[in-house]
Amino acid sequence: MKLIIVIPAINHFFNELQASIYSLNTLVPIGTPVYIFDNGLTPIQLTLLENNFKFVDIKLIDQKLTLMDRKSYRFKSLAFDYLIKTNKLTDEVLLYMDSKTHLKYHWKELEKMLSNRPVWSGDKYGFEHEWTNIKAIEKMGFDDIEKIQNMHHLQAWVMLIDYNTQAGKNVLNDYIHYCKDDEIIYPNHTYKGFDTADPLNHRQDQSVFSLVIKKNNVDFSSWVPFVSHHNTMFS
């Protein structure tokens, strides 16, 4: 297995980005490719990345993003799509981390996790009816809408996917595919908020990922804290 890591970057989260990259030190093989989705880094910040993180192989993804790509967090799926199209993937493991996320487990421990399940993400958080708009569920073709709405919602601030397995391929390809549909990733009049009682609350790409996991019948009954969540020491 070969590990490839993706982290998005924007100039006002540069300190968090550096902490995320530094968390990889000693935990992943030296020279592991780390693709930084450049979402507005300054020339000085790019130079700092190039000069100070020699233990990994920093690569930039420089793509023009629309306002919708940014608002809906579609750039996460675009980063995966870029990796698939520009690399001849064979036995790769893909790890996406938000720029506030820190790796806690060694690469060998991640391999053990993937031997039990080909896809991991953030832990369960509430239910789909609290975080996912019903229009997205309907558009993705689920038969029992109420059943889906009462299933646990999964967080996508981290995604660990074994692309060498068919299940991993299916999840990632479906995630990329459904994120392209505006009516699924950002249904009309919905917004990304915290009012779980509001049916217009929708977690955009995270809702897509959570639904894709259900569509592919991936068992998410267990979770381990292989990463820390958004600058927390323990999570």
Side-chain angles (χ1 to χ4, degrees):
M1 288 183 178
K2 177 184 176 183
L3 180 63
I4 299 177
I5 299 171
V6 179
I7 307 176
I10 193 167
N11 60 347
H12 57 269
F13 283 133
F14 187 63
N15 288 339
E16 290 83 354
L17 171 66
Q18 292 178 83
S20 292
I21 299 173
Y22 193 75
S23 77
L24 306 174
N25 193 16
T26 75
L27 295 180
V28 303
I30 294 174
T32 293
V34 176
Y35 284 82
I36 305 298
F37 201 118
D38 185 358
N39 201 2
L41 294 176
T42 68
I44 292 175
Q45 290 171 337
L46 291 171
T47 300
L48 286 170
L49 285 181
E50 181 180 353
N51 293 339
N52 293 289
F53 297 94
K54 299 293 187 180
F55 53 89
V56 291
D57 182 13
I58 299 288
K59 300 175 182 290
L60 294 179
I61 302 177
D62 183 14
Q63 285 190 2
K64 300 297 183 184
L65 297 174
T66 66
L67 180 60
M68 174 67 80
D69 294 338
R70 297 177 192 274
K71 288 181 64 177
S72 67
Y73 287 70
R74 181 156 46 206
F75 59 81
K76 292 161 63 173
S77 66
L78 294 175
F80 280 131
D81 197 33
Y82 174 88
L83 290 183
I84 292 172
K85 290 178 178 177
T86 59
N87 294 270
K88 295 181 178 179
L89 301 184
T90 53
D91 61 346
E92 283 78 5
V93 169
L94 304 178
L95 172 62
Y96 168 88
M97 302 195 310
D98 277 0
S99 56
K100 296 180 181 180
T101 303
H102 303 164
L103 185 65
K104 294 170 64 176
Y105 277 24
H106 189 276
W107 165 234
K108 293 299 181 182
E109 294 176 279
L110 299 183
E111 286 186 310
K112 291 178 183 177
M113 289 167 52
L114 290 167
S115 69
N116 294 318
R117 190 172 78 210
V119 181
W120 293 78
S121 72
D123 200 3
K124 298 184 288 290
Y125 193 78
F127 298 91
E128 294 295 1
H129 68 83
E130 298 175 310
W131 300 108
T132 300
N133 183 256
I134 191 172
K135 293 178 183 177
I137 302 173
E138 292 171 342
K139 187 74 187 295
M140 285 182 62
F142 288 98
D143 294 324
D144 192 338
I145 305 296
E146 186 176 354
K147 177 183 176 181
I148 297 299
Q149 287 184 307
N150 288 303
M151 294 178 74
H152 285 290
H153 179 78
L154 294 172
Q155 300 178 84
W157 42 268
V158 61
M159 291 176 274
L160 177 67
I161 302 173
D162 184 355
Y163 200 70
N164 189 42
T165 65
Q166 190 58 53
K169 283 186 174 69
N170 291 344
V171 166
L172 189 58
N173 292 339
D174 282 354
Y175 172 67
I176 293 169
H177 170 71
Y178 287 115
C179 278
K180 293 177 180 177
D181 191 330
D182 289 353
E183 295 180 26
I184 294 175
I185 196 170
Y186 207 141
N188 283 342
H189 309 300
T190 61
Y191 67 99
K192 181 181 178 183
F194 294 94
D195 183 359
T196 57
D198 188 344
L200 294 179
N201 187 27
H202 186 69
R203 299 306 282 184
Q204 301 161 348
D205 86 283
Q206 180 169 282
S207 290
V208 176
F209 177 82
S210 187
L211 293 177
V212 163
I213 290 298
K214 295 167 179 61
K215 202 167 188 65
N216 284 276
N217 296 312
V218 179
D219 178 15
F220 255 77
S221 57
S222 62
W223 189 77
V224 293
F226 65 102
V227 288
S228 64
H229 181 220
H230 288 190
N231 290 337
T232 55
M233 289 296 293
F234 303 100
S235 61

